[in-house]
Amino acid sequence: MKILNGKLLSEKIFKDIFNEVQDLKKNYNLIPGLAVCLVGDNPASEVYVRNKIKACERVGFYSVLKKFPSDISKENLKKEILMLNADKNIHGLLVQLPLPKGLYEKEVLSWLDPLKDVDALTLENKALLWQGAPRVVPCTPKGIISLLKHYEISIKGKTAVVVGRSQIVGLPMFQQLLSHQATVTVCHSQTKNLSEVCRSADIVVACAGVKGLLSKRDFKKGAVVVDVGIHRVDKKLYGDVDTEGLKEHLSALSLVPGGVGPMTIASLLENCLEIAKLSCWNKR
Ligand code: GUN
């Protein structure tokens, strides 16, 4: 079984981005900038956000972390986001999800300038994605496609199953696999014969957010499995896949940690770089 090593591939992507940023600074006086908004004190979100800012620093991006209390008013949060929309040094902007109670994702995301929306979560960017002409592709699905391509796992003509239907991972993952010409099924909590459906797949993407939901009995021999889950128990991380006995059973597996997580961050930086370059070229 091949290990789909997202940590290793992300390191290569960081290096490439670092070099490109040096170039952009020297030749175009352009420093890509990312702003991350964190509302409230969700401990997992704190870790993700810290990792995003650290990654920016590694590749030479300008970065801003804006932390807001969970009881920030809608009006004030909107004002802050509009200020970042107008900030010339910021090219990519994201609001870390989930939001605390009382704030509505759809409404908050509608305040983001679609031209700065690095996660592709605004209506306009979702529409472009589903039209097949994305400005940027959502970070986790983009990272998973990069990982599969890097390990020369072909997608075209394969049967793929996505377990999970979130706006941020499951649905755009479905779109990406489909646009790479897989035949795709999306499963969720109400799927009756989950195990049977998964066993029919050449490629399974587990993004249900349920620790150990899938295991050996749910995969056909030789399948490729990508695990998007992150569950912290006693300081140890687990995925949506129970890895017992998979070594001899699968042809490839992404581990948790060190699989999809670092690829999501690498893709975020790629998206931000892409947006920064576009904004720079459009001004010329
Ligand atoms: N929460 C968990 N993952 C993500 C992500 O990639 N982007 C945002 N904005 N929130 C998240």
Side-chain angles (χ1 to χ4, degrees):
M1 182 184 76
K2 256 190 266 190
I3 299 292
L4 307 177
N5 191 333
K7 179 89 182 110
L8 203 65
L9 178 55
S10 71
E11 292 293 333
K12 182 188 173 301
I13 294 171
F14 290 163
K15 233 178 250 159
D16 291 347
I17 294 178
F18 176 85
N19 289 333
E20 194 169 347
V21 170
Q22 297 305 308
D23 220 51
L24 290 172
K25 282 181 188 172
K26 201 168 88 193
N27 297 322
Y28 301 95
N29 203 22
L30 171 65
I31 303 174
L34 178 75
V36 178
C37 298
L38 177 62
V39 190
D41 48 14
N42 180 316
S45 291
E46 299 252 12
V47 174
Y48 299 149
V49 157
R50 208 180 318 129
N51 289 340
K52 289 174 184 181
I53 297 293
K54 259 195 236 161
C56 284
E57 287 163 1
R58 279 191 58 188
V59 299
F61 281 13
Y62 167 64
S63 63
V64 175
L65 172 56
K66 292 273 185 186
K67 283 186 167 192
F68 306 111
S70 56
D71 62 356
I72 188 173
S73 70
K74 195 168 103 164
E75 291 73 21
N76 282 340
L77 182 58
K78 182 172 180 181
K79 221 183 286 168
E80 295 282 352
I81 290 176
L82 295 186
M83 271 192 321
L84 293 167
N85 283 343
D87 187 335
K88 298 272 180 291
N89 296 315
I90 295 298
H91 304 95
L93 171 56
L94 71 88
V95 176
Q96 188 68 22
L97 302 174
L99 289 169
K101 266 203 193 108
L103 287 167
Y104 297 96
E105 253 173 43
K106 285 195 185 80
E107 185 176 18
V108 171
L109 293 172
S110 77
W111 301 331
L112 296 177
D113 178 349
L115 292 169
K116 294 192 175 186
D117 168 25
V118 270
D119 274 332
L121 289 174
T122 55
L123 268 183
E124 183 174 314
N125 286 323
K126 279 185 182 171
L128 288 170
L129 178 75
W130 288 92
Q131 257 188 351
R135 211 174 255 141
V136 292
V137 170
C139 304
T140 300
K142 178 184 171 104
I144 291 171
I145 297 291
S146 300
L147 197 57
L148 293 175
K149 284 188 177 163
H150 177 75
Y151 284 94
E152 296 179 335
I153 293 166
S154 71
I155 303 170
K156 190 174 175 172
K158 298 286 173 65
T159 55
V161 168
V162 178
V163 184
R165 54 178 159 177
S166 66
Q167 295 282 330
I168 198 163
V169 182
L171 295 182
M173 191 72 242
F174 167 57
Q175 190 281 337
Q176 278 295 288
L177 288 164
L178 191 61
S179 77
H180 285 79
Q181 305 197 63
T183 302
V184 195
T185 305
V186 180
C187 296
H188 47 79
S189 57
Q190 302 307 307
T191 300
K192 290 278 192 293
N193 46 352
L194 178 65
S195 189
E196 195 184 311
V197 178
C198 288
R199 261 185 281 126
S200 72
D202 301 314
I203 300 170
V204 177
V205 178
C207 51
V210 179
K211 178 176 169 281
L213 175 69
L214 302 175
S215 60
K216 187 178 172 188
R217 65 176 180 274
D218 304 311
F219 307 121
K220 78 172 169 198
K221 195 157 170 55
V224 172
V225 176
V226 178
D227 191 351
V228 183
I230 306 185
H231 310 278
R232 194 178 296 269
V233 181
D234 298 335
K235 294 196 175 157
K236 209 171 158 327
L237 293 179
Y238 299 86
D240 282 6
V241 176
D242 173 0
T243 56
E244 173 109 34
L246 290 183
K247 213 163 145 187
E248 296 77 33
H249 189 67
L250 298 181
S251 67
L253 172 69
S254 76
L255 296 182
V256 178
V260 173
M263 288 306 298
T264 296
I265 292 189
S267 301
L268 171 67
L269 299 182
E270 285 179 330
N271 281 352
C272 189
L273 178 63
E274 209 51 49
I275 295 173
K277 284 195 288 189
L278 272 179
S279 79
C280 181
W281 303 164
N282 287 342
K283 267 189 253 139
R284 293 166 71 83

